[in-house]
Amino acid sequence: MRSVRQCSRTACGRAAVATLTYVYADSTAVLGPLAHHAEPHSYDLCVEHAERLTAPRGWEVVRLTPDFTPAAPSRDDLLALADAVREAGRGRLAAPAAAPAAEPVPDTLADAPRRGHLRVLRGEG
């Protein structure tokens, strides 16, 4: 399922719809559709910031698409969401109605440290 990425501009919490990348060798700022993966040297921008983008003096702005609109959820997104909900529901529904009697804990596990619901098992050797 696609995660909602936010605009990279400070104090802007809107959803990103465009990706800005600088090509320093050509003094060019390239503004295109939202990249599939967030890259460390690119900036995700919302509609407002993408439309108002200006480049430093002497630089050129290349806009790969004239307008940026948020993408609607695709069929794959909805299916992934349904699968995630179904999988989460299985964990709850699969629990037995009455808890069985607790099994005795082996001595090797009794002194193992616990963190929440996880238990550290010591290896042999």
Side-chain angles (χ1 to χ4, degrees), residues 1-117:
M1 186 169 88
R2 183 179 0 190
S3 65
V4 177
R5 296 193 331 234
Q6 293 183 342
C7 183
S8 297
R9 296 292 300 261
T10 305
C12 182
R14 292 186 288 268
V17 296
T19 298
L20 171 66
T21 307
Y22 290 106
V23 182
Y24 294 98
D26 298 331
S27 298
T28 305
V30 180
L31 186 64
L34 187 63
H36 291 286
H37 303 285
E39 297 292 332
H41 300 290
S42 62
Y43 304 91
D44 296 335
L45 300 176
C46 64
V47 173
E48 180 181 339
H49 288 120
E51 290 174 351
R52 295 188 317 155
L53 175 73
T54 59
R57 187 173 303 181
W59 283 56
E60 180 182 358
V61 176
V62 176
R63 296 178 188 270
L64 299 178
T65 58
D67 59 338
F68 298 100
T69 57
S74 69
R75 178 169 166 71
D76 292 338
D77 292 339
L78 296 175
L79 289 175
L81 178 60
D83 290 341
V85 170
R86 188 177 304 116
E87 191 64 31
R90 280 189 193 139
R92 291 187 192 135
L93 297 177
E103 296 178 20
V105 177
D107 291 336
T108 57
L109 297 179
D111 61 345
R114 288 182 50 93
R115 296 199 60 144
H117 65 282

